Amino acid sequence: TQSRSSAASDVYKRQVYDTTKKIYQYRDIVHGMNEQFHRIYGVEDSEGKHIVVERYSQTGRITEAYNYNLDSLNVLDHMVVNGFGEKEKATIYKNELFPFEKNKVTRYASKFSGFQDSTVILMELYRDFKGTDVKNVISDPIECIKLEEQARYTILNPFTKKETQQEFQSIHYFGKGVGLVEWFDKEKKMHFVLEDIISQEKWIKLISE
């Protein structure tokens, strides 16, 4: 029988490595008009193969991007768009986002500029592997991994030393051979589901209409 650890690894890593850019179209089924797009593609350089995931709003505006090592799935780079609309490379302190064993908790932490003058944000993501499930993904049943995420955002003004924190809990499902297929917060105030996987050409036409 396949162990939980190897089963998790299989689900994560069976996502096809492809240098062709694909667009994952997600819809918030709580607020039906709200969409999010992820542009996913593979790259290879002197450090090996990577998977890049860029996140876009429904208007086609990029908000952040993650660069994952293909073998470990650890985060190599994290880009965010700050409050001034500028792309910024975040400082990464902890780079694990994908636990491979049940009840193992991984920690990701990065720091970047806030949305007000002088503030910085420390983002911490704790993920706990809660097992596997079968979900209907674009009408097909697919084996998925369930991750519980605890997110903490600490907003700090280095001059006034004022500090505030916000915390969120959410559930994420990753499908074998697909990747992220669904996520929602514990209160179901938002609930995104993978609706389609389209070409970059079709996406550009879609957001231009």
Side-chain angles (χ1 to χ4, degrees):
T1 303
Q2 189 178 30
S3 69
R4 288 192 177 97
S5 177
S6 60
S9 177
D10 188 43
V11 169
Y12 291 138
K13 296 183 179 182
R14 281 285 301 276
Q15 180 167 342
V16 178
Y17 175 83
D18 192 345
T19 56
T20 301
K21 295 178 175 64
K22 297 179 180 178
I23 310 301
Y24 284 40
Q25 181 179 7
Y26 300 92
R27 186 172 300 279
D28 183 356
I29 60 177
V30 177
H31 308 94
M33 298 300 291
N34 192 14
E35 292 180 303
Q36 190 175 126
F37 300 96
H38 293 183
R39 183 165 72 162
I40 301 174
Y41 56 95
V43 295
E44 185 173 6
D45 56 24
S46 59
E47 297 183 2
K49 293 182 177 180
H50 316 265
I51 295 176
V52 177
V53 179
E54 300 172 347
R55 298 182 178 180
Y56 293 81
S57 69
Q58 63 185 26
T59 61
R61 180 177 60 86
I62 190 169
T63 57
E64 64 177 336
Y66 290 86
N67 182 352
Y68 300 92
N69 175 272
L70 179 64
D71 293 325
S72 67
L73 292 179
N74 289 339
V75 180
L76 300 174
D77 291 293
H78 179 197
M79 184 280 295
V80 298
V81 176
N82 61 32
F84 303 102
E86 303 166 335
K87 294 181 179 179
E88 174 184 336
K89 184 175 181 178
T91 301
I92 298 175
Y93 297 107
K94 299 287 184 179
N95 66 354
E96 289 187 291
L97 267 177
F98 294 98
F100 292 112
E101 300 175 6
K102 190 171 183 181
N103 295 323
K104 172 181 171 60
V105 178
T106 58
R107 182 188 177 194
Y108 176 81
S110 65
K111 183 180 70 175
F112 44 90
S113 297
F115 299 105
Q116 297 177 353
D117 289 346
S118 304
T119 60
V120 294
I121 297 175
L122 175 64
M123 180 178 73
E124 298 171 277
L125 304 177
Y126 299 85
R127 282 183 173 176
D128 188 357
F129 173 40
K130 292 297 187 180
T132 60
D133 199 355
V134 175
K135 307 284 289 185
N136 283 325
V137 180
I138 317 178
S139 301
D140 292 324
I142 293 179
E143 181 184 357
C144 297
I145 283 178
K146 179 182 180 181
L147 301 183
E148 186 173 281
E149 179 180 285
Q150 177 76 34
R152 178 190 300 142
Y153 296 88
T154 303
I155 304 170
L156 172 67
N157 186 313
F159 298 104
T160 65
K161 305 300 182 183
K162 184 179 179 181
E163 182 178 303
T164 59
Q165 280 191 349
Q166 295 179 328
E167 295 190 1
F168 304 92
Q169 288 184 312
S170 56
I171 301 294
H172 298 247
Y173 286 95
F174 289 82
K176 179 183 288 188
V178 182
L180 181 62
V181 298
E182 182 179 353
W183 76 95
F184 53 87
D185 67 286
K186 286 293 188 71
E187 292 77 29
K188 292 287 185 73
K189 293 181 179 179
M190 63 85 181
H191 186 169
F192 281 91
V193 175
L194 180 62
E195 187 173 69
D196 203 359
I197 299 175
I198 59 179
S199 68
Q200 179 166 284
E201 292 74 20
K202 184 175 180 180
W203 175 59
I204 291 173
K205 183 178 179 181
L206 180 66
I207 62 176
S208 300
E209 292 178 347

